[in-house]
Structures are given as structure tokens and as C-alpha cells.
Amino acid sequence: MGFIIPSNQVYTVSWENLEGGQEASQHSGEAYRQRVEKYLESGEFLSVGDPHSGTSDIRLVRPAHNEEKVFRVETKNTKASLTNQNLINEIARQFIDFCVTSEEFEFYIYAPNFADQPRWKDIFRDRTRKRDAVERFYSDIGERHSLNDEETEEFEKLGFEDFWLFLENVGAKKAGYERLGELIEENCSIENDTRRRDCPVLVSSVS
């Protein structure tokens, strides 16, 4: 029997604000990572341990979909910024992996807040993605990354159209620690005839 994702929790590859009007509070990076993982597992995802490629924090599958695709999730317990060197490198590495490895995957970035949200939406919101914004970001990655020599060589073999296709498989999700806890409880409160998920006990871990 498969997992049922609640009708109000449809999962999309895009920019998405799960926070509503709430202000996110601060927690440790590991506590935030664990809560993102618990949120995803309370829906239709199953964690499959540490990622074998890239530097993603979480690696999951969707058993109910009978698919080969995996889901890589990077968590940022800060205000995520497209000018951040580490994030630029991570996106570049995931882009290379997407193009040169045989593994089919989607890549997600979770953070309690995002700097310059209009720019994130111009790049990552699937229905309103703007080509000029994506072109500028692709250029920024090429100029600012600090990949090693092998990675740089792989990156330079790829082109803008490859990057555009990659972005169709990338999502950015704005969700704070408390809001994720609420979403976990909502998912776990929904009973269905197929399966009742085993849900985690939520423990606050404020830093």
C-alpha cells in the first residue's frame, strides 16, 4: 500500500511559500534539517539515508509512485541568498550531476527565509520563470563559483539550455521551524483508508 499526500499538500517543483504570514524563529541547523526531513516523511516521501552524490542534506524517494526518481534536499537555516558562495557552489554541483549522471532527481532548497524573494521567484517559480533573470544567474554562477578543476571542466561543457532544463527540476521552499511542525501535525491528523502514517514526536530544539 502506498502513501497518500493530503489534498492541501500537493508537492510542486517551484518557488513556494509554506510559511504564510508567520515569522520564522531561529533553531540550530541540524534541528531544522531534521524537521524538514520529518515534514517530508509525514507526507509521501521516504528517507533513504545520506546522499551518495552532491552535498545535499537529505535524500528521499516516493514509494507510492513506483518511480526511479530520487529527491535531494538542501536545508539552509539562514536567510538563503543567491549571492552566497556555498549555495552557488551547491547549485552548480547539482546542475552538473543532473546533466552528467544517470540518476533522475529533483533538487529542493528549504530555508526559513530568502533574501531578495522577487529574484528567487523570477528564477525558480515555474509558471513565471523569466529568461533574463535566469541568464543573469547562470552568468553569476559561471563567474563566481569556486568548483575544483574537474567540476569546472564539467560545468564549462554545459550550456544555458541545459541549465534551463535543470531548473525545471529545482524547487525553493520557504518554511520556518514552527510552520513545518504545524504541517507535520496536519499531515498526521489526516486518516485515510490506505495507510495511516507513523508520525514523529515533535521536540522543540531552540538554539
Side-chain angles (χ1 to χ4, degrees):
M1 293 185 292
F3 302 152
I4 299 298
I5 187 166
S7 60
N8 65 335
Q9 294 289 324
V10 176
Y11 207 77
T12 58
V13 183
S14 183
W15 161 270
E16 187 175 9
N17 183 358
L18 303 176
E19 192 67 24
Q22 301 183 52
E23 291 294 330
S25 62
Q26 294 300 310
H27 292 76
S28 72
E30 177 59 18
Y32 183 74
R33 186 200 68 77
Q34 290 178 2
R35 182 146 291 194
V36 170
E37 186 171 25
K38 288 175 181 177
Y39 160 63
L40 292 168
E41 288 199 298
S42 73
E44 61 176 353
F45 294 93
L46 176 67
S47 178
V48 291
D50 295 333
H52 73 274
S53 59
T55 56
S56 309
D57 292 334
I58 306 168
R59 178 180 168 87
L60 310 107
V61 294
R62 290 189 302 190
H65 289 246
N66 191 28
E67 61 190 355
E68 297 296 327
K69 182 185 295 183
V70 300
F71 299 82
R72 302 179 182 184
V73 180
E74 177 76 7
T75 61
K76 299 292 184 185
N77 191 41
T78 58
K79 182 178 282 189
S81 171
L82 291 172
T83 63
N84 178 270
Q85 185 70 62
N86 290 335
L87 186 57
I88 286 175
N89 288 339
E90 178 63 23
I91 292 173
R93 289 186 175 112
Q94 296 293 342
F95 169 47
I96 294 167
D97 265 3
F98 181 82
C99 294
V100 305
T101 67
S102 60
E103 180 173 82
E104 182 183 2
F105 70 89
E106 293 178 5
F107 175 58
Y108 292 88
I109 302 165
Y110 272 78
N113 209 345
F114 289 79
D116 195 359
Q117 290 186 33
R119 189 182 183 209
W120 280 89
K121 294 174 184 178
D122 287 346
I123 296 169
F124 294 97
R125 179 177 277 171
D126 56 349
R127 290 171 296 176
T128 58
R129 183 170 294 120
K130 296 182 179 178
R131 192 173 184 89
D132 59 342
V134 175
E135 287 175 340
R136 286 195 298 271
F137 183 49
Y138 179 67
S139 178
D140 286 347
I141 293 175
E143 294 173 359
R144 300 191 56 198
H145 72 71
S146 57
L147 303 176
N148 63 39
D149 290 344
E150 182 179 353
E151 291 168 334
T152 298
E153 183 178 352
E154 292 290 347
F155 180 86
E156 292 176 350
K157 291 177 183 177
L158 304 172
F160 175 75
E161 295 304 326
D162 298 311
F163 189 67
W164 184 273
L165 179 61
F166 166 65
L167 287 181
E168 294 178 359
N169 294 273
V170 179
K173 308 292 183 179
K174 180 177 183 289
Y177 188 87
E178 281 77 17
R179 178 57 179 156
L180 288 167
E182 293 172 358
L183 292 171
I184 291 169
E185 291 178 354
E186 288 176 15
N187 286 353
C188 291
S189 69
I190 296 175
E191 294 193 30
N192 56 75
D193 294 334
T194 305
R195 176 168 177 167
R196 172 77 174 181
R197 296 302 309 272
D198 292 329
C199 292
V201 176
L202 300 182
V203 179
S204 178
S205 178
V206 182
S207 62

